Structures are given as structure tokens and as C-alpha cells.
Amino acid sequence: MRPLTRAAAFAVGAVAGYLADARYADPRRGHPVAVFGGAATRLERRMWRDDRATGAAYTTLCVGAVAAGAVALERTAGRRPLGRAALAAAATWTVLGGTSLTREARTIGRALAAGDLPAARERLPHLCGRDPSALDGQQIARAVVESVAENTADAVVNALAWGALAGTPGLLAFRAVNTLDAMVGHRSPRHARFGWASARLDDVAGWPGARLTALLTVAAAPQPRTAWRVWRRDGSAHPSPNAGQAESAFAGAVGVRLGGTLQYGERVEHRPVLGAELRPVTVDDIERACALSRRVGALALGTTVAGHVLLRSLLRRGRA
């Protein structure tokens, strides 16, 4: 029996890691991403300066350490096909967050369906950074659907897309980039300059996966034509170069209107409306968005496996 090729070993590992996320979600303690976040926080306290150059050095150190470590692990595990597959499985499980995402969204949906608005408000910060104190049930439902759309790109499709391009190091490096953006990439007085490089790097790294998310959403939509129309018309209206791609496609796929005024603590944003001709979000749309997210994730896994195998095959032919 012939041993697994590198591409096949990664494919087997990616499928195993995806299934592990579907079955077990994120571990509650000792999650590698949380460990990375703790180390990055300690480094930020030592390095922080109110300038972009220091922030760029900080981003390079954090992401570079993860990428270099992943390459070293892959070379060590690469001597055995099962080792490569196991490493890919562990990395895939580490970086994916699709199951935790839909569980949180459904928890809020159940609270809203039961009329427990305080519980829904209390739970919303687990899903997104908005101030829930003044939100009514419809506004919370809209926030949940928007968060499911955006995080389907960030927590599932983008990571898998980088796995297709660069294998296990791509998976882990993207998660490091995305985690840093969540930590220091937001517009706050402390991080406006220091976090600039992390935010811009996340924009670049998220560009291909955001468009792939929109395409896969159209493919998975009950009404693909509506999803395509709203995405192509409204996807670039969002202030983020990437978030609007997934949110507009989800708006069309679910058949709801997203966007508008948002509040993050003391900061208020007036975003363009996505799918303005569609109906407002209802509580039932949370489940529709979650089911759509799972379909998109499954399609992304298939795209990743096929894309990685094809890319490795082309590289081998090129070397030959």
C-alpha cells in the first residue's frame, strides 16, 4: 500500500479536524488560540508605543513566530504520513470556530424566542462587540445574523482557504493574524497607531476568503439569484473591505435586510443598508443563518481539500 502523499495527508487531516470541530466545538480550557492571545497580550505590554512602526514589529513577531513554529512542526511530522495528517487535524480543529459560532447564535435565538430579552442582551457580547443595553429583540436578532455571516468568513472559510494555499502553516498563521486584529486592530485611542499593521494585515489576509465565502453562500442559498444580486450590488458598500462581502451575500441568501446604525460602546457607526428591499430580520432568521453557515462551511472544506490537492499537483509538475 502506497503511503499518503503530503497533499493527501493534509486533506485527511483537514477533514478530521473539521469533524472534530463539528462534534466537540472549541475546548473550554487550554485552547491554543487563547494561549497565543495571552502571550501576545504580554508582549504588547512590553512593546507598546504610540506609533505604527512598533506595531508593525509587534505584528511581525507574533505572526512570524506562529508561522515559523508551524513550518518546523510540519517538517518534523512530515517524515511520517500519519504524523502530517495528525498535525493538520489538530491545526484545523484549533483554527475553526464554526460550531461555537452557531451554538452561541442559537443560545441567543432561544432566549429571544422565549421573550427573555435580558438574557439575550447578556449573551450578545459573547458573539460580537456591540453594546446590547439599548437593543430591542429585533436589533439583537439582526446583530446575531450579521455576526454569523461575518464570522463564517473569519472563523471558517478564511482559515480553510489559507490551508488550501499553504497547508498547516497557512491555517495557523491566518488564525494568528485574525486574533491580533481582534486584540489590537480596532479603532481605540491606544491602538489607533499601534494596531494599524495588524488591522491592515487582516484585511489583506481576509480578502480571498471573504470573496470565497460570498460565492459559497450564493451556492448554498435557497434563492441563489437574490443572494448573487445583493452581494454584487451591496458587497462593496460596507466600510470593511471584507465583512460586507459575507454580510451582503447572507442578506440575500436569508432574504433579510442587514446593516444600518450600530453602536460599539461609546462609538456609533452608520453603515449602509444591505438588501434594502428585503424584509427586516426576525428571530427565526437566526436559525436560517446558522443552517446556512454550516452549509457554507461544508462547501469550504470540500473546496479546501480539492484546492490543496490540485495546487500540490501543479507544483510537483512544475518542479518536474
Side-chain angles (χ1 to χ4, degrees):
M1 182 177 178
R2 297 179 61 184
L4 291 174
T5 64
R6 289 182 178 272
F10 174 81
V12 169
V15 172
Y18 183 91
L19 294 176
D21 175 70
R23 175 64 180 83
Y24 302 108
D26 294 325
R28 296 184 181 274
R29 296 181 180 179
H31 195 296
V33 174
V35 174
F36 168 78
T41 297
R42 291 189 292 272
L43 182 62
E44 188 225 351
R45 290 170 183 161
R46 291 176 176 270
M47 289 188 64
W48 185 87
R49 298 288 187 279
D50 191 21
D51 65 76
R52 289 183 175 183
T54 305
Y58 166 79
T59 301
T60 302
L61 280 173
C62 290
V63 177
V66 171
V71 169
L73 284 172
E74 191 173 54
R75 287 180 178 176
T76 302
R79 299 170 185 172
R80 294 179 179 272
L82 289 179
R84 292 196 297 268
L87 180 62
T92 303
W93 185 18
T94 294
V95 303
L96 292 183
T99 300
S100 294
L101 168 66
T102 54
R103 283 184 181 178
E104 286 291 343
R106 284 167 171 151
T107 297
I108 298 171
R110 286 192 295 270
L112 290 174
D116 193 348
L117 187 58
R121 285 173 174 165
E122 182 180 358
R123 200 71 191 176
L124 186 63
H126 291 258
L127 195 63
C128 63
R130 300 181 197 178
D131 181 2
S133 59
L135 299 183
D136 61 23
Q138 193 278 330
Q139 291 169 324
I140 291 176
R142 191 192 86 191
V144 171
V145 172
E146 290 171 352
S147 296
V148 168
E150 183 177 358
N151 285 295
T152 296
D154 284 343
V156 182
V157 181
N158 256 314
L160 290 172
W162 279 101
L165 294 171
T168 297
L171 288 169
L172 295 175
F174 173 77
R175 179 51 60 222
V177 170
N178 192 242
T179 301
L180 285 183
D181 178 61
M183 293 173 59
V184 303
H186 48 85
R187 297 176 183 177
S188 67
R190 178 178 176 84
H191 294 136
R193 294 183 180 88
F194 184 83
W196 177 86
S198 292
R200 298 291 77 76
L201 181 60
D202 185 69
D203 287 342
V204 173
W207 196 96
R211 276 81 190 160
L212 178 60
T213 301
L215 284 171
L216 296 179
T217 300
V218 171
Q223 297 183 355
R225 290 185 179 179
T226 303
W228 174 267
R229 184 185 74 248
V230 176
W231 168 43
R232 299 306 298 157
R233 186 192 65 203
D234 298 340
S236 298
H238 196 283
S240 165
N242 297 324
Q245 305 297 316
E247 289 188 23
S248 60
F250 262 69
V254 180
V256 296
R257 183 167 63 245
L258 300 178
T261 301
L262 310 174
Q263 185 166 349
Y264 296 87
E266 297 180 356
R267 178 166 56 91
V268 177
E269 291 187 11
H270 300 284
R271 294 181 179 177
V273 175
L274 310 176
E277 73 278 18
L278 302 175
R279 61 178 175 79
V281 177
T282 66
V283 174
D284 291 339
D285 293 315
I286 293 176
E287 178 56 35
R288 296 187 182 98
C290 289
L292 177 63
S293 176
R294 301 305 287 174
R295 294 197 298 272
V296 170
L299 290 174
L301 175 65
T303 303
T304 294
V305 169
H308 187 75
V309 171
L310 177 61
L311 182 59
R312 294 290 301 185
S313 176
L314 293 174
L315 288 174
R316 283 199 305 271
R317 290 181 183 180
R319 290 168 185 166

